[in-house]
Amino acid sequence: MTTPGRRPEPPAQRGATATRAYALPFGAELQAGGGVRFRLWAPGAQRVALRLEGQARDLELQTEPGGWHQLTVQRAARGTRYRFILPDGTAVPDPASRFQPEDVHGPSEVVDPRAYQWRDLEWRGRPWHEAVVYELHVGCFTAAGTFAAALERLAHLRELGVSALELMPLADFPGGRNWGYDGVLPFAPDASYGDPQQLKALIDAAHAHGLMVLLDVVYNHFGPDGNYLPRYAPQFFSEHHHTPWGAAVNFDGEHNREVREFFIHNALYWLVEFNFDGLRLDAAHAILDDGPCHILAELAQRVRAALPARYVHLVLENEENQARWLERGEDGAPRLFSAQWNDDAHHVLHAAASGESEGYYGDYADDSERLGRALAQGFAFQGETMPYRGSARGEACTHLPPTAFVAFIQNHDQVGNRAFGERLSALAPPPAVRAITAVYLLLPQVPMLFMGEEWHSARPFQFFCDFGAELGAAVSRGRRQEFARFEAFRDESMRARIPDPQAARTFEDSKLDWAAAQAGAHALILGWYRELLAIRRRHVVPLLPGLIGAGEYRVIGTSAVLVRWQGAAAELLLMANLRDHPVAGFPSPAGALLWQEGHVEAGGVLGAWTVRWSLRASALP
């Protein structure tokens, strides 16, 4: 099966192996004739030296126009560790380092990308409509918290019915534990998880299981510890724009070309050298660019032009709900981005199941119009004022297919940003959790599970980090203070109970409890997830390419809706009562039953927490 307008490459010989490398125009590149070319953009430094570990003398790099410094060194090779030396004597890692074996302040290591022998030569990816995404944090996914240990769980994911892994950010971060959003060296997978070879082995094995692998990348800021760019390339940042993390990355000011190329090459590097199947761009709303061609557009265009024969999926997180990035071409293929995380779908389902109405949940609680809209169309807010924000949010999206949206009931943010990192199964009654799970797993939007959700893991996923003493203490204080605005944490003694993000135990407590997945109620829940995803694979996925635009919804009552999606050959129907009491007014059940959770009673009454999915022949000519 191929994406419209895309021609796949001929398959490679079965059993063959090959190497992959992406030639970076900067950083440390092995040369065909021997030696290593070192190249650094440092417009803020008149001169830069190179220090090779084990060598007595630093080597002066040659200056080039535009702030570049370069030198090819014959005695450097794979495994050589090196630093750049600034005029004041400061030793800094390579911003394009492929590996940091001694963390962000240590030396970079020359990597030979061709050392790994790939076996997935016939792999071209999978169409986006087949995606069932599984978000995981490598450090918490297994007890060992490594790429090698994650590889051992791939069979579980395949049997579950997942078709894509999404790895939280891997860019090298300070310390031994972090969510990944404090990365400062975006080309280097963090050494706490393993080396680049082990990451490639994980991706290679995933492909052998038929699993795509997506990577979460952060192009909106650098972390607070280990970012040396301002010392020698202050032009990398702009005071013209500001983000929650400070001065924005410079995508539209003077010298923006070098900055743009840095991130575009980063995207291509992960997709080519590591054979990732796609990228999820964190907080795209904070990637600020007033130039003639937004960096998001240029990045997507460059990626799609470079890899026309592969299924490559680019996904956004975007608080502004800008449908413009998700437009499709005449052939139905995404022009730029494949999909966006749909926070609105999460919020309406979470509010219904948990009953929470504090903060932004107040804009979704008991709002059946928002519920119907988020399920049928994607965005619940499409340009209207969102009371919690006090401003307009979103753009019209009814022209987009459902697969332009990624639906979920949990993810790292929605779990980990709670004070105690509780999962939904600890917050809502079991019938409510089952009901909203049955809604989102069979929804025509692309579903995304959060690791451990499939057996209702009792382990929390908490916010954790491993900064130095001074910064770490500030983060610990700030973490507790941010909850002071919530009623439950007005009292200081309650805030003191919030786990310390710097404590090693906070990280250890967040690791999955795999033994529990095979026992008692957890095992039953795991089997239930497998059944739902099997129904999706057999009956919903084949419909998705033929669905005609967004769905249509009708409000039946509070948190009770009827939704229809029209396809070329069949119509998919959802009846959902997400309340703890029966609701009347639904039509008589029609079509072949796909799945039912709860009870449908006579006279158009759906019992408490009842969800019914059905399929019937299309009324189209």
Side-chain angles (χ1 to χ4, degrees):
M1 191 177 293
T2 61
T3 297
R6 305 226 174 171
R7 184 168 54 198
E9 298 173 5
Q13 180 179 354
R14 189 176 299 276
T17 62
T19 61
R20 293 188 174 100
Y22 183 75
L24 290 171
F26 38 70
E29 286 288 307
L30 289 164
Q31 300 300 287
V36 178
R37 183 223 66 202
F38 298 91
R39 192 165 190 250
L40 175 72
W41 186 57
Q46 289 186 337
R47 65 185 187 280
V48 177
L50 175 69
R51 178 173 298 167
L52 303 181
E53 280 203 346
Q55 301 295 317
R57 185 172 62 89
D58 294 342
L59 305 173
E60 195 84 8
L61 272 67
Q62 299 164 355
T63 58
E64 298 180 344
W68 290 97
H69 303 258
Q70 177 172 307
L71 186 68
T72 297
V73 182
Q74 287 299 319
R75 63 176 178 267
R78 173 187 176 187
T80 297
R81 295 188 181 182
Y82 66 99
R83 288 183 170 121
F84 295 117
I85 310 301
L86 303 182
D88 65 1
T90 302
V92 302
D94 185 349
S97 169
R98 280 179 163 93
F99 189 46
Q100 289 292 119
E102 299 175 43
D103 209 6
V104 297
H105 300 292
S108 304
E109 183 174 301
V110 176
V111 169
D112 180 2
R114 297 190 182 278
Y116 183 80
Q117 296 290 320
W118 289 87
R119 295 172 174 81
D120 65 350
L121 305 190
E122 296 182 44
W123 179 261
R124 296 294 177 263
R126 297 179 63 167
W128 182 241
H129 72 272
E130 294 181 2
V132 174
V133 184
Y134 187 96
E135 188 193 19
L136 66 89
H137 180 279
V138 173
C140 293
F141 185 55
T142 63
T146 63
F147 299 131
L151 188 153
E152 300 301 319
R153 297 293 179 181
L154 295 177
H156 164 88
L157 299 179
R158 183 195 67 230
E159 292 163 7
L160 173 62
V162 164
S163 59
L165 286 65
E166 182 176 311
L167 308 184
M168 288 175 63
L170 303 178
D172 202 72
F173 51 75
R177 53 189 181 272
N178 195 282
W179 275 15
Y181 299 95
D182 293 312
V184 292
L185 296 168
F187 291 82
D190 196 88
S192 64
Y193 303 142
D195 61 31
Q197 298 258 92
Q198 291 166 324
L199 174 56
K200 292 173 183 179
L202 171 61
I203 298 167
D204 207 1
H207 291 165
H209 282 279
L211 302 171
M212 297 183 282
V213 189
L214 313 179
L215 177 64
D216 195 340
V217 292
V218 182
Y219 293 162
N220 52 62
H221 77 289
F222 289 81
D225 181 17
N227 175 23
Y228 290 95
L229 282 165
R231 296 198 181 198
Y232 56 85
Q235 297 88 338
F236 220 93
F237 303 93
S238 170
E239 291 294 338
H240 178 64
H241 298 294
H242 282 266
T243 73
W245 307 280
V249 176
N250 174 25
F251 289 120
D252 58 6
E254 187 178 3
H255 292 293
N256 74 79
R257 187 70 259 158
E258 291 84 354
V259 179
R260 295 166 79 93
E261 290 297 320
F262 182 83
F263 288 103
I264 290 170
H265 283 298
N266 182 259
L268 289 167
Y269 160 79
W270 290 118
L271 294 167
V272 173
E273 192 159 302
F274 287 81
N275 211 24
F276 276 101
D277 298 279
L279 305 172
R280 179 262 193 189
L281 277 65
D282 175 68
H285 53 274
I287 299 175
L288 305 175
D289 184 357
D290 291 336
C293 179
H294 198 288
I295 181 60
L296 289 176
E298 184 179 3
L299 185 148
Q301 290 164 357
R302 292 269 292 273
V303 164
R304 299 203 179 281
L307 300 167
R310 284 173 51 189
Y311 294 110
V312 175
H313 309 303
L314 301 177
V315 181
L316 294 175
E317 179 198 25
N318 186 355
E319 173 65 25
E320 300 302 321
N321 284 358
Q322 293 165 309
R324 68 190 78 168
W325 299 118
L326 308 175
E327 298 293 337
R328 268 50 182 169
E330 292 182 2
D331 61 359
R335 294 183 186 276
L336 298 173
F337 292 88
S338 307
Q340 179 189 311
W341 276 22
N342 190 2
D343 283 337
D344 282 355
H346 168 270
H347 297 345
V348 292
L349 293 173
H350 179 97
S354 69
E356 292 185 340
S357 60
E358 197 167 8
Y360 52 72
Y361 287 131
D363 290 345
Y364 299 88
D366 297 329
D367 192 327
S368 301
E369 286 290 336
R370 302 285 178 218
L371 172 64
R373 212 179 200 194
L375 299 182
Q377 300 176 1
F379 298 145
F381 287 91
Q382 299 180 30
E384 304 85 2
T385 296
M386 183 176 178
Y388 178 75
R389 287 169 46 130
S391 61
R393 178 168 180 250
E395 296 175 354
C397 61
T398 54
H399 60 294
L400 296 173
T403 50
F405 306 94
V406 177
F408 47 87
I409 57 174
Q410 300 182 80
N411 64 24
H412 74 272
D413 271 330
Q414 302 301 338
V415 176
N417 283 332
R418 300 183 68 87
F420 299 106
E422 309 102 319
R423 293 169 178 268
L424 181 62
S425 50
L427 302 171
V433 177
R434 288 175 68 96
I436 68 167
T437 302
V439 168
Y440 101 94
L441 287 184
L442 298 183
L443 200 64
Q445 298 176 31
V446 170
M448 183 179 75
L449 293 71
F450 183 58
M451 60 177 193
E453 171 192 331
E454 70 271 27
W455 71 82
H456 287 185
S457 172
R459 295 281 181 88
F461 182 74
Q462 302 173 138
F463 177 67
F464 50 80
C465 54
D466 185 22
F467 294 125
E470 185 176 348
L471 177 58
V475 170
S476 295
R477 288 193 303 271
R479 170 70 173 172
R480 287 171 174 162
Q481 190 56 40
E482 71 177 287
F483 286 97
R485 58 194 173 93
F486 292 96
E487 186 63 36
F489 296 99
R490 296 282 170 83
D491 186 87
E492 188 174 350
S493 63
M494 284 298 298
R495 295 198 297 275
R497 295 175 53 201
I498 297 173
D500 180 1
Q502 283 283 108
R505 180 175 177 178
T506 303
F507 171 60
E508 294 297 329
D509 287 348
S510 299
K511 290 178 178 279
L512 287 184
D513 49 342
W514 282 94
Q518 308 304 321
H522 293 297
L524 294 175
I525 292 164
L526 177 58
W528 180 74
Y529 263 80
R530 287 172 175 162
E531 286 184 61
L532 272 165
L533 289 175
I535 292 291
R536 178 182 185 86
R537 183 171 60 252
R538 287 196 299 268
H539 299 289
V540 177
V541 168
L543 297 175
L544 298 180
L547 289 186
I548 302 166
E552 298 178 350
Y553 71 93
R554 177 157 61 93
V555 171
I556 305 298
T558 303
S559 296
V561 294
L562 171 69
V563 190
R564 290 187 174 90
W565 291 269
Q566 187 67 61
E571 184 181 54
L572 184 65
L573 297 97
L574 166 66
M575 296 195 298
N577 173 26
L578 305 182
R579 301 290 287 179
D580 60 0
H581 56 75
V583 172
F586 285 91
S588 298
L593 177 65
L594 294 183
W595 190 270
Q596 184 170 303
E597 199 66 40
H599 305 283
V600 177
E601 304 170 10
V605 177
L606 261 62
W609 305 115
T610 292
V611 171
R612 187 183 195 277
W613 284 97
S614 59
L615 197 62
R616 66 182 180 187
S618 176
L620 292 178

